[in-house]
Amino acid sequence: MQDSKRDNPPGHTGIRPVPRQVRRAGAALCAMAMMLAPLAMPAASHARAAEPDIIGRWMTKDHDGVFEISHCGQEVCGHLVGLRYETEMPRDKRGEVECNLPMLNGFTPDADTPGHWNGRVTDPDTGHVYHAKLWVSQSGDLKLRGFVAVPLFGETETWSRYTGTIGPACKLP
């Protein structure tokens, strides 16, 4: 057994310095590991999931209303945020003002058709609730198909993205 005090000069701890080449190689390995780490991670951990195309503001086919479609918990829903009216704000069947009235509810991704969403749409004039599908067409328009029982017995409306302003009390300019 050797006496480390005898073999080392005064002030030396007994730990040998790391050679310069080893330090450089270690630094290069650390840099490579940092560059490759994102490739080893699952996609969801380093990239935010893409927003559904249906999220945003949409002008109805008759250009008399704007709906805002957004996340509602785990689902997607939509409510009326803009209306075209002259004197008094329109009211639904129960007499409630239509501004901020939720009319698109419970939309979840369609397992069979990527990019399509299944939910319900409420007709404010009658109070009837219908099954519905939402999707964005290749032209960038929103398609809303309301139907009874099966999509074959329904009607599809085409809505366009709305980028304009909405005045006080949901009034469209």
Side-chain angles (χ1 to χ4, degrees):
M1 190 161 161
Q2 291 183 333
D3 184 5
S4 64
K5 290 182 185 177
R6 190 169 40 105
D7 295 338
N8 293 323
H12 192 272
T13 61
I15 300 172
R16 286 199 257 160
V18 177
R20 186 178 315 167
Q21 295 86 351
V22 173
R23 284 194 311 257
R24 284 185 188 157
L29 284 173
C30 284
M32 284 179 17
M34 287 175 23
M35 288 186 329
L36 294 175
L39 298 176
M41 291 182 201
S45 66
H46 65 86
R48 187 173 169 229
E51 279 289 319
D53 288 346
I54 62 173
I55 300 297
R57 288 187 170 178
W58 298 93
M59 173 71 78
T60 60
K61 73 174 185 162
D62 296 328
H63 299 281
D64 59 355
V66 174
F67 280 82
E68 184 164 333
I69 298 176
S70 60
H71 293 281
C72 296
Q74 298 294 331
E75 300 173 338
V76 171
C77 63
H79 60 279
L80 194 58
V81 295
L83 292 161
R84 200 167 305 284
Y85 60 94
E86 295 301 319
T87 56
E88 192 176 308
M89 184 181 304
R91 296 183 176 273
D92 70 1
K93 180 183 181 204
R94 297 177 313 218
E96 301 288 326
V97 294
E98 288 187 10
C99 182
N100 289 316
L101 189 65
M103 290 189 221
L104 305 171
N105 296 295
F107 282 87
T108 57
D110 185 324
D112 298 328
T113 313
H116 288 226
W117 296 73
N118 299 318
R120 297 173 310 282
V121 61
T122 303
D123 179 343
D125 297 328
T126 64
H128 291 119
V129 178
Y130 300 97
H131 296 283
K133 285 184 153 309
L134 286 174
W135 70 93
V136 175
S137 68
Q138 288 183 349
S139 64
D141 293 324
L142 182 80
K143 300 291 186 169
L144 168 66
R145 181 161 187 83
F147 57 93
V148 177
V150 293
L152 178 65
F153 303 113
E155 182 181 324
T156 302
E157 287 191 5
T158 301
W159 295 359
S160 56
R161 282 251 183 228
Y162 184 73
T163 57
T165 61
I166 298 172
C170 293
K171 190 163 179 111
L172 289 176

